[in-house]
Structure formats: C-alpha cells, structure tokens
Amino acid sequence: MGRKRASLGFQMWQKLEEIQNIGQSRHIYKAIDKSLGTKSNNITSYNSYSSYKNASKQFEKWIKVTYPGVKYLKDITRDMGIEYIKHREQIGRSAWTYSQDLVVVNKLLDTDITKKDCNVAKRSLSDRTNNMVDNGYRTKDGVAERFIEGAGLRRRELQHLQVKNCIMQDNELVGVRVYRGKGGRYRVAEVRHDYRRLLGAIISSKKGDDKIFDRPISKRLQAHRIRHEYAKEYCNELIEKGLERDVVLDRLTQSLGHNRHDVLKSYGAYIYK
C-alpha cells in the first residue's frame, strides 16, 4: 500500500519550513543577493513566518474551492496565483493585505508575480500614512498608550509583555526586555524618564509570569503613531543629556527595535538629519 498523500495545506507548510531562517539577518541575505544578482526567498522573522502561515491557509482554501482537482503544490500555476490576488482585491481586502498575500504566493510557488501582473491597485501613499493621522481611538484605561509613549513598544510586543521582562530600579520601570520583536530580534527598550515611576506603579501589583495585558489590544490602537511620539521625546531627552549624535542614533535605533540608523528617517528630521 502506497504512502498517503500529504494534504495541500501540509505541503504549503513544508515549503515555508524549508525557507525559514528565523533569527538570521535579512540584510545579510540582501547583501548576498546584491552581490550575486539573485533574490532571496528566506523568511527571517518569526512574526512574518506566523503571518505567512495564516495567509497560506487562505490560499489553500481558495484553491480547494476554485480548483478542487489540484492536490499538489507543484500543480498550482502562476496564472492561478495571479487569479487569487485579483480575487482578494475583488472581495474587498486592503492593498496591504493582498500585498502580503502576493508575497506568500511568490514564496510558495517560487514565482515573481507583481501587482502589475495581477492588475491590482498598489498600496497608496494614503494607505501608508493613514495610521499617522489620529483616528481618535483610545483604550479605556489608557495603559497601552502609556507603555508605548514611555517605552516605544509595538502593539504585538505589548500583547506578550510579562512582568519578568521588565527591568525595575527603585520601583521604577527603566527598561523592557523584548525577546521576540520584529525580525525575531532581542532588544532592551529604554523607558523615558518621565514615565518610569508611572509604569513601575502600573506593574507593581503583578508577578513574574503575569502578562501586563490580559485582554487583546485592539488593532485600532495606532501604536505606530504613538511610537513616533516616543521617538521624538526620547530623542530630545538624550540630546538634553549632552550625548553625541551617533550615541543618540544608536540608542534610539536599539530601543525602537531597528538595526540601521537610516530607518529613523521615517520618524522625522528631528532625529535623522
């Protein structure tokens, strides 16, 4: 009796497993690609890997309904991939969402499909900057906002934050250990001086393995916009201490979870000039 055929979903998972190199620097792969004239297909971020797995499940469901005769990943054609991206736009998915879907399709099929090939709209400047316009949303207790303002954490990082990750000195929160930030990187996020006592008081009643946030933090919370505020104010704080420009850039880059100074350009000219 022959070996049972693996499900299409399992084949997609295997493909993503083959190309995941979590913890490696994607910038190293980019440098290699540039020198060799190639394009890396590696996944270096745990968060990206998790998102791609979820996106691949949607692709699998669509294939099963639209092309029920397809049982093997190798039988999914480039044209099917293009059709799927068009479908995602037609059912109202945002340009950001089907852009990620396109990345997943290309990784699964080893293709280089573009939005132009799919005849779908590109992510507009308004899409990219919309999260910088205050949407008026606030959490009920304001704690999430205070943590972002004070420590510059991302929403996902806040959601997984535990007391044991917090660095305390004299009942004040001075830093936060982030073990799985964007790109799978570890960092210590420095806390702004004006927020240390407040944030320390917030977590004082909790214990080691306790999460700071027991409930899901709404995606309506504009963490990216608030992180800009953290970057601006902490930059000013470091400058007022008399630190040299390169030191300020190093500390801001590290605290925000980036690995290159030039990324700080997006935070405004008050930081990167």
Side-chain angles (χ1 to χ4, degrees):
M1 188 173 180
R3 188 171 62 178
K4 185 178 179 181
R5 172 181 54 82
S7 69
L8 184 58
F10 185 77
Q11 293 172 53
M12 290 183 176
W13 174 79
Q14 281 186 313
K15 177 63 177 180
L16 294 177
E17 278 289 297
E18 288 173 5
I19 60 177
Q20 66 93 354
N21 284 285
I22 294 172
Q24 300 298 316
S25 172
R26 64 190 176 98
H27 302 292
I28 292 176
Y29 288 112
K30 283 185 176 181
I32 294 173
D33 289 338
K34 186 175 181 179
S35 64
L36 298 178
T38 58
K39 186 174 181 179
S40 175
N41 202 31
N42 290 278
I43 304 170
T44 57
S45 161
Y46 175 83
N47 293 335
S48 295
Y49 177 69
S50 179
S51 297
Y52 293 165
K53 279 201 302 183
N54 291 333
S56 71
K57 291 177 183 177
Q58 298 300 318
F59 186 35
E60 176 202 5
K61 290 178 182 178
W62 181 83
I63 288 289
K64 284 183 175 180
V65 171
T66 312
Y67 294 97
V70 172
K71 305 297 181 183
Y72 294 96
L73 180 60
K74 63 182 178 62
D75 294 330
I76 301 177
T77 67
R78 188 176 189 275
D79 286 343
M80 291 178 187
I82 291 174
E83 184 182 350
Y84 174 65
I85 300 304
K86 289 181 177 178
H87 162 75
R88 296 291 279 174
E89 182 191 44
Q90 290 167 358
I91 64 174
R93 295 295 180 262
S94 69
W96 186 92
T97 298
Y98 61 69
S99 293
Q100 184 180 68
D101 293 331
L102 181 56
V103 172
V104 173
V105 167
N106 280 329
K107 288 186 180 296
L108 290 174
L109 306 186
D110 291 320
T111 51
D112 57 355
I113 302 169
T114 65
K115 293 188 184 73
K116 185 177 181 180
D117 294 329
C118 303
N119 194 28
V120 295
K122 294 182 178 180
R123 192 179 180 196
S124 67
L125 178 61
S126 61
D127 288 333
R128 295 193 297 270
T129 59
N130 190 50
N131 60 359
M132 293 303 297
V133 178
D134 191 347
N135 64 6
Y137 176 80
R138 302 291 185 272
T139 59
K140 289 183 178 180
D141 58 13
V143 173
E145 289 94 322
R146 301 298 85 76
F147 266 90
I148 303 173
E149 291 167 354
L153 301 179
R154 299 181 176 94
R155 186 180 62 83
R156 186 191 294 266
E157 294 166 351
L158 277 181
Q159 195 68 75
H160 297 288
L161 180 60
Q162 294 177 288
V163 175
K164 64 183 180 182
N165 304 140
C166 298
I167 303 172
M168 300 289 292
Q169 288 182 7
D170 299 324
N171 298 319
E172 294 185 350
L173 179 66
V174 298
V176 176
R177 299 183 186 92
V178 180
Y179 287 96
R180 191 179 287 172
K182 188 174 182 180
R185 291 186 289 270
Y186 167 82
R187 77 179 191 277
V188 174
E190 300 177 4
V191 178
R192 289 168 52 191
H193 188 272
D194 290 346
Y195 281 76
R196 292 180 177 182
R197 187 170 297 279
L198 170 63
L199 298 182
I202 290 173
I203 66 175
S204 62
S205 62
K206 297 179 179 292
K207 298 181 180 179
D209 289 330
D210 289 350
K211 283 190 172 183
I212 305 298
F213 300 94
D214 299 323
R215 297 180 180 179
I217 299 172
S218 173
K219 291 184 179 180
R220 293 179 62 196
L221 179 64
Q222 296 173 296
H224 187 64
R225 179 180 61 79
I226 305 173
R227 270 165 57 84
H228 274 241
E229 185 67 19
Y230 165 84
K232 178 180 179 180
E233 296 302 328
Y234 196 48
C235 174
N236 290 337
E237 183 177 319
L238 295 176
I239 290 172
E240 288 174 2
K241 288 182 178 180
L243 299 179
E244 294 184 359
R245 176 180 179 274
D246 285 346
V247 176
V248 172
L249 289 174
D250 282 342
R251 290 181 62 172
L252 276 172
T253 299
Q254 189 268 340
S255 284
L256 287 164
H258 300 300
N259 58 5
R260 303 187 331 275
H261 287 176
D262 61 348
V263 178
L264 298 179
K265 289 179 182 178
S266 66
Y267 289 90
Y270 49 80
I271 295 175
Y272 194 93
K273 296 182 180 179

